[in-house]
Each structure stands twice: as C-alpha cells, then as structure tokens.
Amino acid sequence: MEKKNLDWSNLGFGYIKTDKRFVANYKDGAWDDGVITDDDKVVISECAGVLQYAQTCFEGMKAYTTQDGHVVIFRPDMNAERMANSCRRLEMPVYPEDKFVDAVAKVVKENDAWVPPYGSGATLYIRPYMFGSNPVIGVKPADEYQFRVFVTPVGPYFKGGAKPLTIKVSDFDRAAPHGTGHIKAGLNYAMSLHAIVTAHEEGYAENMYLDPATRTKVEETGGANFLFITKDGKVVTPKSDSILPSITRRSLVYVAKEYLGLEVEEREVLFDEVKDFAECGLCGTAAVISPVGKIVNHGEEICLPSGMEKMGPTIQKLYDTLTGIQMGTIEAPEGWIYKVE
Ligand SMILES: *Cc1c(COP(=O)(O)O)cnc(C)c1O
C-alpha cells in the first residue's frame, strides 16, 4: 500500500486520525465478534459508567517497519495480559488475550499506509482501550462495555538526540498502597494531571513519585518506570506492588542480563540511595529509555555523574540493544517480535 504523504521525521506525539479502527461490544455477558470500521466517533449514553465513575483502562504499544521492510509489533501478548489484569481489578470483562492480539494486528494491517517507514524515527502507536458504556448511576460496574483499538503515527521521542531530563520529587502521591497503581487505568492519570502540570510550571520534565506509605522509597514517574545504574555497573530497578509493570522495563532487564551480561537487582530502592547511582533512566513505550541528569528534592539537587549532555554509557547500550531488537538489526528473543502479515 502506498504510504501517506506525511513529514515522518517531523511528527510529534499527537493524535492523527487514521483510516480504520476495531470496535467490539460486550452485552448480555458476551463479546460480539467486533468489526473494523471507518467511524472514529463513540456514541454512548450520557450516563455511561465510564463518564460517571471512570470505569476504563487502556494499553499502549508500537508497530515499526524493520530494516528488511516488515511491519512488526513489539510483544503485544504482554499488553494483552496486562489489560486482562487491569480489567479484573476494575470489574470489567476481559477481552480474550488471543483476540486482543488479533485485533491489534488487524488494525495495524488495515492502516499499513500510516506505518512510518524504516529510519524515519517515527513509529505507529497503538491504543487499545475499554470502557463501561451503559447507564450507571448507583455505584456499581457497568453491564455493557466497548473495546476499541486505534492507531496513530507518532514522531521520534528524541528529536536531535536524547538530552538528559531534570525531574523533581513530587509532593503528590501517584498510587495508594493496595490501590490501582499496578494497573493501566485512566483514573491513575486523571489524578496525576495536577502534579505534572505543577511540575512543568516549575520547569521540570517529570515527577519522581515516592511510596505513599513512608515516602522513603522510589516508585516511578507518571508514565515511566525507573532504571538506575550503580557505579560498579549493576542495573537496579525499584520493586513495589504499586508500580505499573512496564513492558519496556521488563524487556530492558532481560536485555541487561542476557545480551549485556549485567547484574540486575529488582528490589526496594531508598530515595537516600539515589545520590550514589551513576546513571538514571525512565523507561516506557514512548521513549524506550530517557536519561535523567538531575533530580531535585525541595531545592536539593542530585546531579547524576552521567551529566546533562548525553545518555550515560550503560543506558546508551541498553537503548541501542533494545531499539536494535525492535527494528530487526539485532536478533530478538523468541516471541518478542510479532510480524503483521
Ligand atoms: C504505561 C506505563 C508505563 C510504561 O509501560 P510500558 O509497557 O513500558 O509502555 C509506566 N508507568 C505507568 C504509570 C504507565 O501507565
């Protein structure tokens, strides 16, 4: 299919309406077969469960054009599994994991003309989501749901190279102990908006959230997990029940161990330890891994030895290896790359 005439290298991270999307409906205890449609509009009751009590969850992943011209999706089965977990926690019906992967692949294939070409730096962002669609006024789960998947081409996260970020320790909490921090629910984002707007106004790129119970341990940012590198080259990543289990972070941990031969510790990370690390990065689908150069805690600055000019050497290696695997220039572990035929 002929590619759309877009300026691929100058795309931002925004929504562009593409041609096709997938829609399935849940009613009377069962999912229908779902359809591919041109219709980008959602029509639901004014009293829909999602609008009243925020019963909704989502996923995010990417499709790429590899060096040899295939369109591939990175680990969609992991997103299917995570969305199933989000649904269970929100009393929503699971969309079957194999059908989730099929729907995602179908939408990518139907929008082939929108998949950015190899080497452009751009990728096709995939957004599956589900919401309660029937009227709900007493507080309870909806009876009817809609599952949708759309795609939108997005630009390279790092225009002109990855400059290290300055972030702040937030005075707000992202997730409660025993709450919903570990699932990809829209409600976690709604309550983080004030914190991120505040951080931006103060000139910071992101928030570092601490554990809400003791405020002594590192959790994550609003949309990315932390990876730290110790001065002797170990990878350390926070472990907590209220962190969203990033697929990028779990992939980087595997890459660190199996491709780079690094030692990895997944454990509680005290904020007091942060000043001793050599490098720090934020990992998620959008950026893969973004370097952090400075962390500010109420005016007190922690400057990572990797500095404010470029990624530290270990984070650079992790970045190069994972993006190589995604783009098909480095051999991928079994099952990581889903080819869209
Ligand atoms: C989506 C998300 C991430 C990143 O997860 P990936 O699977 O790597 O994209 C990290 N933290 C939060 C809170 C998220 O919602």
Side-chain angles (χ1 to χ4, degrees):
M1 201 190 292
E2 202 177 324
K3 291 286 173 196
K4 298 284 170 182
N5 186 21
L6 295 184
D7 185 4
W8 301 107
S9 307
N10 287 305
L11 290 175
F13 197 92
Y15 172 75
I16 297 172
K17 186 181 146 189
T18 53
D19 294 332
K20 306 283 180 184
R21 67 275 302 128
F22 179 81
V23 184
N25 285 291
Y26 182 89
K27 200 178 172 176
D28 300 327
W31 286 105
D32 67 14
D33 290 339
V35 290
I36 292 285
T37 170
D38 291 341
D39 191 358
D40 62 315
K41 296 290 186 287
V42 176
V43 180
I44 49 175
S45 164
E46 62 184 352
C47 194
V50 59
L51 300 180
Q52 305 310 322
Y53 303 123
Q55 200 186 13
T56 180
C57 61
F58 67 100
E59 273 303 326
M61 76 201 100
K62 283 174 169 178
Y64 318 80
T65 307
T66 58
Q67 194 175 31
D68 57 359
H70 292 289
V71 174
V72 302
I73 308 172
F74 186 67
R75 309 190 77 180
D77 55 317
M78 300 287 278
N79 297 89
E81 184 189 351
R82 192 168 64 187
M83 187 152 183
N85 290 333
S86 297
C87 287
R88 284 187 275 263
R89 179 65 175 79
L90 294 175
E91 291 295 334
M92 300 168 78
V94 168
Y95 193 74
E97 292 178 34
D98 54 336
K99 288 193 177 165
F100 174 105
V101 174
D102 287 349
V104 161
K106 212 181 274 177
V107 178
V108 172
K109 192 178 159 79
E110 292 280 344
N111 291 291
D112 191 48
W114 298 92
V115 184
Y118 176 78
S120 65
T123 54
L124 190 73
Y125 185 74
I126 307 167
R127 171 53 60 90
Y129 60 115
M130 192 193 294
F131 52 88
S133 54
N134 69 301
V136 174
I137 193 79
V139 177
K140 65 177 172 76
D143 302 307
E144 296 175 14
Y145 293 85
Q146 195 165 98
F147 170 71
R148 300 180 71 101
V149 183
F150 69 78
V151 294
T152 184
V154 294
Y157 197 80
F158 299 126
K159 282 204 185 105
K163 282 279 176 197
L165 307 170
T166 300
I167 67 174
K168 69 169 284 191
V169 176
S170 183
D171 291 324
F172 299 101
D173 293 327
R174 189 192 82 88
H178 318 293
T180 54
H182 62 302
I183 60 163
K184 221 166 166 73
L187 60 92
N188 292 335
Y189 280 77
M191 44 72 77
S192 74
L193 295 176
H194 179 62
I196 192 65
V197 168
T198 304
H200 287 165
E201 279 169 1
E202 295 171 355
Y204 301 102
E206 265 294 349
N207 281 304
M208 170 185 271
Y209 291 105
L210 302 180
D211 76 296
T214 71
R215 302 193 65 84
T216 59
K217 290 172 269 185
V218 177
E219 294 252 305
E220 60 169 322
T221 70
N225 288 178
F226 280 106
L227 277 188
F228 298 99
I229 312 295
T230 64
K231 288 187 175 139
D232 57 358
K234 270 187 226 150
V235 177
V236 177
T237 187
K239 187 172 175 156
S240 153
D241 291 341
S242 45
I243 289 176
L244 195 281
S246 158
I247 294 163
T248 313
R249 186 250 303 160
R250 287 180 276 167
S251 304
L252 286 166
V253 161
Y254 184 90
V255 163
K257 285 184 196 162
E258 305 298 328
Y259 283 65
L260 304 178
L262 301 174
E263 209 174 302
V264 179
E265 293 177 358
E266 296 182 65
R267 58 166 172 84
E268 289 188 338
V269 175
L270 292 174
F271 179 70
D272 282 346
E273 292 178 64
V274 170
K275 61 180 188 330
D276 301 324
F277 289 127
E279 301 174 45
C280 172
L282 302 179
C283 29
T285 293
V288 180
I289 185 163
S290 327
V292 173
K294 195 190 285 185
I295 303 167
V296 182
N297 182 23
H298 298 99
E300 201 176 310
E301 295 190 350
I302 297 174
C303 298
L304 279 298
S306 49
M308 294 304 292
E309 286 306 312
K310 54 181 176 36
M311 286 193 189
T314 307
I315 285 185
Q316 184 75 56
K317 263 188 239 165
L318 286 165
Y319 178 88
D320 291 344
T321 310
L322 186 59
T323 51
I325 288 170
Q326 291 170 333
M327 296 297 172
T329 57
I330 296 176
E331 194 176 346
E334 176 87 27
W336 278 25
I337 301 296
Y338 184 100
K339 248 188 220 175
V340 178
E341 309 291 351

